[in-house]
Amino acid sequence: MATSRVLEVIDGLATVFDAAAALDGVTILKAWEILPEGELEHVFVAWDGDPGNVEEASAESVIEWPGLSPTSRTEDGTVECAATVWTGDQTATDATLTRVYAILGACEDALRANPSLSSSIALQAKITNTALRVEQSTQGFRATVPFTVSFMSSI
């Protein structure tokens, strides 16, 4: 019997985002995968896109045992994700910010179209929190929208 659905949700998110036509050309990566050089648009699954943020959890969940059943459980959890766009130069543009939100919108559309992440078990996932971070450095301008995917599942 599965202890948690967290890894299944992470894999499902990466698969759903990778299959979304609106995300063609966007690199979809799980937190532990190596970032390819030269790619300017990304969606990270199980990472909030902040290299300095090592304190926050990539995913969290709470498991409950409804009633007196020794086998039936439910799990509510979250997976941290992020959409990022690099410009490659030091010019911050409205187009960069617009693009990062378009990527977020494509992720949300993909989840609305497939909230079960094609899972065979009872599972629902949705985006529940977002933020905006901008960074300008000698390497260029980066816009990042970290977002939280919340899920409910039976185990």
Side-chain angles (χ1 to χ4, degrees):
M1 175 182 278
T3 302
S4 173
R5 299 284 184 211
V6 169
L7 294 178
E8 184 177 343
V9 170
I10 290 170
D11 286 341
L13 288 169
T15 300
V16 166
F17 294 156
D18 198 42
L23 292 170
D24 282 349
V26 177
T27 303
I28 311 297
L29 294 167
K30 295 179 217 170
W32 50 87
E33 295 176 325
I34 297 172
L35 180 65
E37 284 191 39
E39 303 293 331
L40 299 178
E41 299 180 344
H42 312 91
V43 172
F44 297 105
V45 178
W47 185 48
D48 72 356
D50 182 0
N53 188 4
V54 294
E55 300 296 321
E56 295 295 320
S58 296
E60 295 180 314
S61 70
V62 174
I63 297 171
E64 294 184 8
W65 299 76
L68 299 174
S69 171
T71 58
S72 176
R73 296 176 289 153
T74 60
E75 181 175 25
D76 293 338
T78 59
V79 176
E80 299 305 319
C81 299
T84 65
V85 176
W86 280 88
T87 61
D89 61 36
Q90 294 181 346
T91 305
T93 66
D94 288 343
T96 306
L97 297 173
T98 299
R99 179 64 183 145
V100 77
Y101 275 99
I103 292 170
L104 174 66
C107 291
E108 185 172 24
D109 289 346
L111 282 179
R112 285 182 182 190
N114 189 354
S116 70
L117 307 177
S118 298
S119 177
S120 61
I121 51 110
L123 173 73
Q124 290 288 314
K126 61 187 174 185
I127 294 176
T128 55
N129 296 312
T130 66
L132 173 64
R133 289 196 307 253
V134 293
E135 174 187 352
Q136 196 165 3
S137 71
T138 57
Q139 297 175 339
F141 176 77
R142 179 174 66 167
T144 301
V145 177
F147 61 96
T148 301
V149 174
S150 297
F151 70 92
M152 298 176 295
S153 173
S154 61
I155 301 178

